[in-house]
Amino acid sequence: MNRNLAIGMAVAALFGCGDGSDQSFASANPGTAAAPNSVPGNAAPVVAPANASTPAPSSTPGNLTASTDTASNPSPNPAPNTTPASTPAATADVFVKTALTQYVNPFIGTADSSAPATDPVPAGARGGTFPGATTPFGMVQWTPMTPSNGGQDHPVGYIYKEKTITGFPLTQMSGSGCDGNEGELPIMPTFDTSSVGVNAKENFDHKNETARPGYYQVTLNDGISTELTATTRSGFGRFTFPARSAIASANKTPYLVFDATRSNTISSTTGVIKAEGKDGLSGSTVGGKFCGARTYTLYFYAKFDRDITTTISNGKADVSFDAGSKPAVLMKIGLSYVSSDNARKNLEQENPNWDFNAVRDAAADAWNNRLNAIQVTGGSETEKRKFYTALYHSLLSPNTNSDVTGDYLGFDQKTHKVQAGRTQYVNYSNWDVYRSLIPLNSMLFPKETSDMMQSLVNDADQCGAIPRWAPINVDAGIMPGDSGVPTIMGGYAFGATNFDAKKALDYMTLVGNKADVQCTGDHVRDSVDRMNDYLVHGYAAMDNGWWAGSLTFEFGTADFATAQLAKALGDNMNYQLFLSRSANWKNQFNPTQKQLLPRYRNGSWLLNPQPNADMVEGNAEQYTWMSAYDARGLFKLVGGNAATIKRLDAFFQNLNAGMNLPNFYMGNEPSFATPWLYNWSGAPWRTQKVVRDVANTVFSDDPGGLPGNDDLGAVSSWYVWAAIGLYPEIQAVSGLTVGSPMFDKVVIRWADGSKKLVINAKGAASNSPYIQTLALNGQALDMPWLWLKDLKDSATLDFTLAASQSQWGQDSSAKMPSFGLDSFTSLADALNNHGIGTDGQKTTRGLEGYTYDMGGWSYSSQALATAGVKPGGSFSFNGIQFTWPDGKSGLDNMVSQGQTITLAKPQGAGTLALLGSSTNASSAPTGKLTVTYTDNTQASFDLRFDDWTLGGGSAKVGSYNQIALTSAHRVDQNGNTDNTKAYVYYWDAKLDQQRQVKSITLPYQTDNGAVMHVLAMELK
C-alpha cells in the first residue's frame, strides 16, 4: 500500500502539475529556470516507476495525497477537479492547480544584498536563506553548508560566494541572525575522509548546482553527485559515485562521512553514533546554543539500500560500501528530538520505500499545493519569481517538532504528547514574524497556524509564560519586548482561532501585570527592573541601560494585542486596562523634537539616543513610526497630516538605510509598517508609490535579492503582502490596509477550498502603482482599508491602476481605524485601573498590575469606607457632589494617558473638578489638561496631583491640591495591610461659563514621569 501511495504521488506530480513542476534553478544563473524536462546533474528524469500502471483516463491526480505526512502537510485546498496546467481557464467554481514551483528560486537570499544597507544589523547583510531540500514547515531542512568567509560571516549556513561545501546538515534555521542556527549532523560524500569539514578545500562550482522546492543537487569536483529530498521528518539522499572503472583505476573508496561532533556554528559538540545491523546507523548530536540559549539533543536513524562498512570513532562515522554495480547509493534518515527509536518510526512511516523520485515529486507537489493558495496572472517572469520565492520562504518556519507518535520534547525538558490531530511546532522568531508573516500564514493556512499558536500555549504550560523568541524547546530571551503575545493575537485575528485562546489570554494578562515572569530562565519582558518601570511609570526607563529606549514601544504593542484578544473573548475589564496601557508609547513622545525618545525615571529625556544601543537595531526616527495601531494619535502629536507627510517623505529618501540613518530600513522589522502609514494621512498614493519602489529596487531575483536577513521568512512575507496590494498594518486587528497589486489578477484561495478572493488590477504594471478606482463586489470604495470578514466569503476587488497619481482616498484619513483613547463619553467609560483593594483578599492572581500603583499597593476599601466613601456612593467636597466609582467592572480609576472624554450632551460650567492622586511621585507631576468648547476654542490647564502617600508621609500637600479623603492604611496585592496613610486630592480649574464644554482631554504624559490617576470628575 505504501509503495502504491508513493507511485500515486509521483503520478500526481506529473499529471497534476505539468512539465513546469520539474523546472529548477541552476545556481550559475539563479534567475533562469532550466528547460522543462532538464535532468539536473546525474538525477534521473522524473518518470513514473517502471512498475506503475498507467492511470485510467478518468483518474484525478488532484485527489492524491500531496505529502508523505498528511497530518502535518495536508493539501491546503483539496481539489477533486484538478487538471493539468495546460487546461483552459476553469469556471468560477473549479480550482485549477497551476505549476508554480517553477517560479521559486531557493538561491534568493543566499548572498549579501544587492541593495545593501549602509550599516545593517548584525548578520543583516545577507538574507541567510538556504537552497536545500525541505517541505512546508518541515522538521528536516537538508542543505549544503559552506565556510564562513574566513570567520567573517555569521551565522554560517550556505553562503553563495563560497566554493566549498563542508557537509550537508539535516537542519537549518532560515535567515536567522545568530550563531547556533541549527545545522546539525552534517553528512558528506567523499573519496577522502580527511578532506571533510574544517579541512575541506574548494570542491564545487555553482554551474553544477541545482535547487527547487523539495530538491537540491550538486555535482562536486570529484565527480560525486549529491541529491537531497525530504519528507516532513526525514531526509532522502541519492549519492551517485563515478563508474566502477574510474574508482578502481584511481584506487578510491566511496564514503559517506557522518559527523555528530559539529554543527553550523558549534565547532565541537557531543555526538554518539552506533551501527544498526548491516545497513543502518543511529545516534544523536547535541545542538542549539542559538544566541546563547541552552542546547538540545537531536536523534537520528539512517538506513542504506545496501550493506555498509562503518568505522566509528568519537561521534564520527566513516561509512563505506560497494558502489560498483549500483553507483547511486540511497540513504534515508529520520530525525527526532525525543529518541532514536522515534526517529526510526518517523522514517518508517513517512518513507518506508526506496523510490527517491516519488519522494522528491511528493515534496514538490506539497510545495505546489501551498503555493497555489495564491495564484497570480500577469506581471513579468522576474516579478513571479520574486513573489513565489517570497511565499516559499514564508512557509519554511515555524517547524514541525512532534514525531509521528505525537511525542515531543517540551520546554520543561520532559517528553509530552501533542493532542490528537495536532502538530507541535518550534522555531518562533516572534519579534520578526508577528508583524506580517503570522497574519499571512494564518489567513492562508489557519489549521497549521492554529497548531502553531497552540504550540506556544503548550510551551507556556511547561515554562510559565508564552516565550518571546523560541528556537527548539527554549526561550532564547533575545530581542526586546514580549513578542509572543502579538504573535498569538496576530494568528487569532487573521483566522487561526482553533487553539486555547482563553488560556493564552491568561498568560498574556499574567506577563502584562507582573514584573517577574520567566520562561526557561529568561524574563519574558526583558528583566524585572524594566518591566517594573513600565508598570509603575508607564515606560521602561533608560536607567536600565542598553536597548531600554525601545522597550516601551514593544510592550505597548503586546498590551494592544492583549486588549484585542480580551475584547474578542468578552473580557471587558482586561480590554480596557490593556488598551489604555497600549497608549504608554506617548510617555516617550518628546513634544519638542516631536519624536519618540528614551526617558529616565526622573522624567528627563535622552535627546540623542545611540542607534542599536539605546534603541534596538534602529534609531529614534525609525521607532517613532512603529505604533501603527494609533496612527491618528501619532499624527496629531507630530503636528497633523501635513506635517506627517513631510516627515515621511524625508524618511523615504532612503529605502534600505540601516540602523544609523533616520530613514526607512526595509531590512529590519521595526520599519515594516511605515510605508503604509500614508494611508492614514490623506495621501494614500504615496503609500502606493513607496511600496512599489521598495519592491522594485530593494528586492531582486538573484542570490542578493533580499534587503537583509530573512528572519525565518519575515522579510519575504512583507514582499508577498506588497505584491498583492494589501498589508496587516494593525497586526492584532482583523483588517488590511490597501496598496496596489503588481499583477493583473491575484486569486487567494481560502482554506475551506470553496471560497476565494479575486483581485483584478486593470492597468497593473511595474511603473503603474497608482489607484484610480477601487470596488469591492461592485461597490465603490473610497478608503484604503478592508475588513477581513468582508473578504473571507467569496469576494472580488477591482482596481484600476495607472502611472500617474490620483486623489483616490484623499478624504478617508478620519475614517481609517485607529485605536487611541478618544472615544469615551464619561469618566466611567474611561476607567482603566484596579486601585481599590480589599483587606485580606488577593487581587486577581495576586498580580501587582491590578493594584493602584501597579507595584503592589492599593487603597483599602474598608479604610475608604471609614473615611466616608463607598462604591457607587456620593461624596461631597467644596460644594461639588462627586460620584465615587462603583468598581463593578473591576476597574475603579483612570490612569491619565491622553483620554478624550466627549460629553454626551455639552454642558456649561464654571468649574471643572477632579479627585485623584499620583503614584511613584517624588514631587507632584504636571500634565496638560485641555477643555474644548463647542465653538472649538480651547483652554489648557496644568493638572497636578501629589503622591498618594506623600512619599510615605515625608512630604506636604501643594497649594494646587486639597486633601479630600484620608485612608488610614493601604492594602497590598496579597491582601496585607500597612499603616501608611493614603490620600485622595481635590483639584479644580475655572472655566468660561459663557461657553459650552464639548470635551475634556487628560494629559498624555507628565513632566517628571510619575503617573496621575483620576477617581472622579464633575462639572459645576
Side-chain angles (χ1 to χ4, degrees), residues 805-824:
Q805 73 180 51
S806 77
Q807 302 303 302
W808 177 85
Q810 66 176 338
D811 299 323
S812 64
S813 61
K815 297 182 291 183
M816 294 290 284
S818 187
F819 297 85
L821 306 178
D822 55 1
S823 58
F824 305 108

Side-chain angles (χ1 to χ4, degrees), residues 158-221:
Y158 178 92
I159 302 174
Y160 192 80
K161 61 188 172 185
E162 296 288 347
K163 296 182 179 180
T164 304
I165 292 174
T166 61
F168 296 92
L170 271 294
T171 61
Q172 187 63 50
M173 194 184 293
S174 182
S176 60
C178 272
D179 287 353
N181 59 329
E182 302 186 22
E184 287 102 14
L185 196 64
I187 299 171
M188 188 70 184
T190 187
F191 292 117
D192 180 7
T193 59
S194 67
S195 67
V196 174
V198 295
N199 297 319
K201 305 299 182 184
E202 288 190 9
N203 57 11
F204 84 109
D205 192 303
H206 289 304
K207 69 182 181 182
N208 297 319
E209 187 182 36
T210 302
R212 61 178 181 265
Y215 177 76
Y216 172 85
Q217 185 276 333
V218 64
T219 299
L220 301 173
N221 295 346

Side-chain angles (χ1 to χ4, degrees), residues 600-686:
Y600 294 94
R601 290 189 186 112
N602 64 8
S604 63
W605 298 88
L606 180 62
L607 298 178
N608 296 292
Q610 292 300 306
N612 197 34
D614 302 321
M615 311 181 91
V616 62
E617 294 187 354
N619 57 65
E621 186 67 4
Q622 290 167 354
Y623 273 97
T624 293
W625 306 106
M626 192 182 125
S627 299
Y629 52 82
D630 187 14
R632 193 155 47 241
L634 173 62
F635 292 2
K636 182 179 179 180
L637 294 180
V638 167
N641 286 347
T644 296
I645 291 169
K646 183 177 180 180
R647 280 271 291 275
L648 289 175
D649 285 348
F651 189 71
F652 289 110
Q653 292 303 304
N654 189 328
L655 299 181
N656 199 29
M659 295 183 292
N660 286 320
L661 298 175
N663 300 107
F664 178 66
Y665 182 14
M666 183 62 244
N668 205 30
E669 286 74 16
S671 288
F672 274 15
T674 310
W676 311 84
L677 283 178
Y678 282 117
N679 285 345
W680 276 257
S681 74
W685 54 88
R686 281 177 157 88

Side-chain angles (χ1 to χ4, degrees), residues 385-418:
R385 284 193 291 271
K386 289 163 65 176
F387 176 78
Y388 280 110
T389 304
L391 183 55
Y392 167 81
H393 281 146
S394 300
L395 305 180
L396 293 174
S397 295
N399 301 99
T400 298
N401 188 241
S402 53
D403 298 326
V404 295
T405 60
D407 296 340
Y408 70 95
L409 185 67
F411 272 49
D412 56 3
Q413 300 293 280
K414 299 177 182 178
T415 299
H416 297 264
K417 191 174 290 289
V418 74

Side-chain angles (χ1 to χ4, degrees), residues 305-383:
D305 68 341
R306 65 199 68 199
D307 290 351
I308 60 176
T309 301
T310 307
T311 301
I312 300 173
S313 177
N314 297 321
K316 296 181 182 179
D318 296 338
V319 181
S320 61
F321 29 72
D322 180 6
S325 59
K326 292 192 297 180
V329 176
L330 298 179
M331 188 276 292
K332 53 189 182 180
I333 182 168
L335 299 184
S336 169
Y337 292 90
V338 174
S339 68
S340 293
D341 188 54
N342 273 21
R344 175 185 59 80
K345 293 174 181 176
N346 289 341
L347 176 62
E348 290 175 350
Q349 179 166 318
E350 293 190 353
N351 186 16
N353 302 305
W354 290 98
D355 194 330
F356 182 90
N357 287 0
V359 174
R360 176 196 61 191
D361 296 343
D365 200 47
W367 278 113
N368 204 48
N369 283 338
R370 299 285 177 172
L371 298 176
N372 268 275
I374 306 179
Q375 296 176 332
V376 302
T377 304
S380 68
E381 295 296 292
T382 295
E383 286 172 330

Side-chain angles (χ1 to χ4, degrees), residues 122-141:
R126 174 167 49 93
T129 57
F130 65 90
T134 189
T135 56
F137 310 123
M139 179 187 293
V140 169
Q141 300 193 328

Side-chain angles (χ1 to χ4, degrees), residues 696-874:
N696 286 347
T697 62
V698 179
F699 292 84
S700 65
D701 67 338
D702 57 36
L706 292 177
N709 58 315
D710 203 26
D711 284 322
L712 283 72
V715 175
S716 290
S717 68
W718 186 96
Y719 185 90
V720 173
W721 287 112
I724 65 177
L726 303 169
Y727 191 73
E729 184 76 348
I730 308 172
Q731 298 90 354
V733 173
S734 185
L736 298 165
T737 197
V738 178
S740 57
M742 299 180 190
F743 300 98
D744 299 338
K745 185 176 183 178
V746 178
V747 178
I748 298 175
R749 182 73 49 173
W750 301 126
D752 65 3
S754 62
K755 298 182 178 69
K756 60 183 179 293
L757 168 64
V758 178
I759 303 173
N760 298 308
K762 182 180 178 181
S766 61
N767 63 345
S768 181
Y770 295 109
I771 298 174
Q772 311 297 304
T773 64
L774 176 60
L776 172 61
N777 297 329
Q779 298 296 312
L781 296 177
D782 65 350
M783 63 182 285
W785 180 265
L786 296 161
W787 293 105
L788 193 58
K789 63 181 177 61
D790 296 327
L791 306 178
K792 290 302 287 285
D793 202 354
S794 289
T796 300
L797 279 173
D798 290 301
F799 288 81
T800 302
L801 304 179
S804 57
Q805 73 180 51
S806 77
Q807 302 303 302
W808 177 85
Q810 66 176 338
D811 299 323
S812 64
S813 61
K815 297 182 291 183
M816 294 290 284
S818 187
F819 297 85
L821 306 178
D822 55 1
S823 58
F824 305 108
T825 59
S826 69
L827 178 64
D829 293 336
L831 299 179
N832 58 28
N833 177 258
H834 177 78
I836 301 175
T838 301
D839 297 0
Q841 182 176 312
K842 280 187 177 182
T843 64
T844 302
R845 290 180 285 175
L847 300 178
E848 59 262 43
Y850 292 117
T851 61
Y852 190 67
D853 67 356
M854 288 171 278
W857 289 96
S858 293
Y859 289 104
S860 161
S861 60
Q862 288 91 333
L864 286 172
T866 301
V869 292
K870 294 183 178 180
S874 294

